[in-house]
Amino acid sequence: MSIKDFIDSQVKSNDVVVFMKGTPQFPMCGFSGQVAHVFNLLGVDYKGINVLDSDEIRNGIKEYTNWPTIPQVFVKGEFVGGCDIVREMYQAGELQTLLEEKGVVVAGRATA
């Protein structure tokens, strides 16, 4: 399986996927930590993929989206963006709306 096929399968088989530095339980950079915090506040289950485990994944995800930074967030196969976009969408209530419209369970409606 090529790295593109691996990324494609993860994006398409999980409702919410975050390609991040570290894991949801132990983010290894502030930006990944902010995204994890937002999803934790919302009570959203998501799959975290640690790009530090593999240069192939780290470089592959950047090519897959043509987006230069990590983390990268996908909802129901759609690329949403990185930390700043997710944080701004959350603060405006847009992320919660997007998740609900896509059928992703949002357990909490907390605000930061």
Side-chain angles (χ1 to χ4, degrees):
M1 176 182 289
S2 74
I3 195 63
K4 183 182 182 298
D5 291 338
F6 169 77
I7 292 168
D8 204 47
S9 71
Q10 294 302 307
V11 165
K12 291 178 178 171
S13 64
N14 295 284
D15 287 348
V16 180
V17 181
V18 180
F19 287 84
M20 62 190 297
K21 293 179 181 175
T23 65
Q25 299 77 22
F26 192 68
M28 299 292 288
C29 84
F31 299 114
S32 292
Q34 288 179 45
V35 169
H37 182 67
V38 165
F39 285 122
N40 291 338
L41 284 173
L42 292 174
V44 170
D45 287 330
Y46 65 98
K47 177 161 188 179
I49 297 176
N50 186 356
V51 301
L52 298 177
D53 284 344
S54 161
D55 284 340
E56 196 175 16
I57 293 173
R58 183 172 44 243
N59 294 323
I61 190 61
K62 292 175 183 181
E63 290 176 17
Y64 186 84
T65 58
N66 197 27
W67 190 264
T69 59
I70 304 292
Q72 295 190 15
V73 177
F74 294 81
V75 175
K76 293 281 189 167
E78 176 186 335
F79 177 56
V80 175
C83 177
D84 291 344
I85 291 169
V86 168
R87 187 180 60 241
E88 289 169 13
M89 287 179 72
Y90 170 72
Q91 290 170 340
E94 296 168 358
L95 181 61
Q96 297 87 319
T97 300
L98 172 70
L99 292 165
E100 290 171 351
E101 286 175 351
K102 296 278 189 176
V104 175
V105 175
V106 177
R109 297 277 301 182
T111 55

